[in-house]
Amino acid sequence: MDLRIGHLYPDLMSIYGDRGNVLALTQRAKWRGIDVETRSFTAGETWDPDWADVYFFGGGQDQGQDIVGADLAGPNGDALKRSIDGGAAVFSVCGGYQLLGHEYVPEVGDPIPGLGVLDVTTRAGKVRFVGNLLAETDDGKTLIGFENHSGYTYLGPKAKPLGRVIAGHGNNEQDKTEGAVQGKLIGCYLHGSALPKNPWLADQLITWGLARRHGAVELTPLDDTEEYAAQSQAAEVAKTRT
Ligand code: GLN
């Protein structure tokens, strides 16, 4: 069995250690004897929409988002939509999350159109949210990461929150939601990188990715003692956030 990871715009959208998400997906698959190949998909290249099983789309600066938004408005956006329609999963963080939505309206400059595959809209707010972010899913799973964004994201009816904020801000300053889930698309504000300290989420993405070409797969459990110890430690720090 093999897993194909598409890293979206790694040269433009990979800040605050976000590349670690690709490393976590890779290692957790390899620990289970699954072969892994990662390919970069970035601006100006011609993308193969039928290759990747799961994509990672990281965070970036506003100017990087301008370039990526323009690229997604062309053939590469069509290719990514076709790939998602074909069953590929996407994990996105911050700027990548914002660009999977309908648009990102920065504090200065024109609105940046998003791909529109995730029913969210983002507008720059007055306060930049920076710090440890702790949230919990509906079924009680912990989400921990580090947020650094001035974009405030609001969910439409087709998207569901990834979690409820316990400490920090998450999507915006009002509804205490963090991230969004829609089909096999996940967006969030968890930099850090997120997946090493949220192993359950990494395994969910690997399972979704493998299902595209291999059908339903039950991953063998790993010893995540250290991962959850790191999660608990970071969660305690987040709870002290004023
Ligand atoms: N420029 C966007 C914001 O500040 C995204 C930043 C990021 O990806 N960390 O909201």
Side-chain angles (χ1 to χ4, degrees), residues 13 15-16 18 58-62 65 93-96 98 104 122 124 128 148-152 189 191:
M13 302 292 283
I15 53 179
Y16 311 127
D18 285 346
Q61 307 299 337
D62 283 16
Q65 286 183 274
V93 178
C94 207
Q98 295 168 352
Y104 167 56
T122 302
R128 174 167 284 271
N148 182 339
H149 60 103
S150 61
Y152 296 11
Y189 279 110
H191 289 291

Side-chain angles (χ1 to χ4, degrees), residues 7-38:
H7 192 169
L8 295 173
Y9 305 100
D11 51 335
L12 293 162
M13 302 292 283
S14 185
I15 53 179
Y16 311 127
D18 285 346
R19 193 174 71 89
N21 292 302
V22 175
L23 301 180
L25 290 173
T26 300
Q27 197 54 52
R28 293 185 70 80
K30 284 185 172 177
W31 279 333
R32 287 148 165 145
I34 299 167
D35 294 329
V36 181
E37 184 182 348
T38 299

Side-chain angles (χ1 to χ4, degrees), residues 148-213:
N148 182 339
H149 60 103
S150 61
Y152 296 11
T153 298
Y154 300 88
L155 274 59
K158 292 185 190 144
K160 296 281 171 275
L162 178 61
R164 179 181 49 79
V165 173
I166 296 170
H169 293 276
N171 283 325
N172 54 64
E173 78 291 19
Q174 289 151 323
D175 64 18
K176 303 304 280 179
T177 63
E178 157 53 11
V181 186
Q182 190 171 336
K184 294 204 286 188
L185 308 181
I186 292 180
C188 66
Y189 279 110
L190 301 164
H191 289 291
S193 47
L195 296 182
K197 290 196 284 290
N198 300 289
W200 67 270
L201 184 55
D203 287 352
Q204 177 65 76
L205 291 159
I206 292 169
T207 303
W208 282 350
L210 291 172
R212 175 178 170 261
R213 290 183 296 127

